[in-house]
Amino acid sequence: CQSLPINLLFQLLGLSIATLSTVTHYGLHFTLISNISLESNSYRVIHHAAFYFGICLSMTLILAALLSSAATVRESQCLTAMGFFCFALAFCGLIPAACWRYTHSTEVEDSMMDVYDLVYEEVRRNASSFRRHELTAIHEAFLCCGKHSPFGDTANVESKTCPSGQVRDAGQDCLQQIQDFLKKHMDFVFTLLGITIGFTV
């Protein structure tokens, strides 16, 4: 009976991971960048892989908790073994995920900023209406305005794509804003993974 609160905790952790995975996959900031990114950009692959991995991990944790609860109530060794096996699978998924966060910490950030750079420079060069619409959507989503470009000649781009009423000097540099947004999100992800690993151990 003492294990039932722990199993409930694992169900909540599983639901938290599923919720975070869904927000990451369907959230405005992430879907916007994913839809704009080119096939050659790694962001789209990472975006989809993170979602499916998170959902599988959350389902494994929830299943492990349910099996452990049933094993406690029925005092079944078979269900206990299945529960431990699911916890082992979850642990084997959590450790590589936490390691990936450190070894590839800048990959997601770089790929997102590459998408912004691509769209920004295309608008700056030829003022494509399609790309200008995409750039405006990024500015509105991240509440930013342009970037510091070594090529200069950015005022015209920003006057057409920044949210109305936002002054360029007061606007946030989009590359910095994307970086800050992603850092906060990844820190939250890593904290949740760390808590889950701790309780799994």
Side-chain angles (χ1 to χ4, degrees):
C1 292
Q2 292 177 350
S3 66
L4 292 178
I6 298 296
N7 293 329
L8 179 61
L9 175 64
F10 275 109
Q11 290 180 36
L12 290 175
L13 286 171
L15 289 173
S16 298
I17 292 173
T19 302
L20 183 61
S21 300
T22 304
V23 168
T24 301
H25 189 69
Y26 294 105
L28 173 63
H29 299 82
F30 298 103
T31 54
L32 183 60
I33 297 295
S34 180
N35 292 337
I36 296 173
S37 65
L38 300 176
E39 294 295 333
S40 58
N41 189 295
S42 61
Y43 177 76
R44 191 174 295 184
V45 174
I46 296 170
H47 185 231
H48 291 295
F51 172 69
Y52 292 118
F53 176 81
I55 293 298
C56 290
L57 180 60
S58 66
M59 293 300 105
T60 304
L61 283 171
I62 292 171
L63 179 60
L66 291 174
L67 287 171
S68 296
S69 297
T72 302
V73 172
R74 297 188 178 187
E75 298 182 357
S76 169
Q77 292 183 347
C78 180
L79 290 175
T80 301
M82 291 172 65
F84 274 111
F85 177 73
C86 288
F87 278 123
L89 281 179
F91 183 76
C92 290
L94 286 164
I95 295 300
C99 291
W100 188 90
R101 164 68 176 84
Y102 275 108
T103 57
H104 298 79
S105 60
T106 61
E107 187 173 339
V108 179
E109 180 184 302
D110 291 343
S111 62
M112 286 184 79
M113 290 194 291
D114 285 346
V115 172
Y116 181 80
D117 277 330
L118 170 72
V119 175
Y120 187 93
E121 292 305 320
E122 285 196 13
V123 172
R124 191 182 66 82
R125 285 196 300 266
N126 57 32
S128 163
S129 60
F130 179 70
R131 287 299 191 188
R132 189 166 62 242
H133 175 73
E134 292 177 339
L135 187 61
T136 302
I138 294 174
H139 286 164
E140 291 175 350
F142 286 92
L143 299 177
C144 59
C145 182
K147 66 173 186 173
H148 300 298
S149 174
F151 302 104
D153 192 27
T154 61
N156 189 42
V157 174
E158 290 156 8
S159 65
K160 294 180 179 178
T161 60
C162 288
S164 59
Q166 186 173 8
V167 180
R168 170 66 188 95
D169 293 336
Q172 295 288 328
D173 178 86
C174 278
L175 295 179
Q176 185 63 48
Q177 197 74 353
I178 291 171
Q179 189 177 31
D180 292 344
F181 169 81
L182 197 57
K183 185 180 183 303
K184 290 177 184 175
H185 185 80
M186 294 299 284
D187 286 345
F188 186 75
V189 169
F190 187 71
T191 300
L192 183 58
L193 286 177
I195 292 170
T196 307
I197 289 171
F199 278 104
T200 304
V201 170

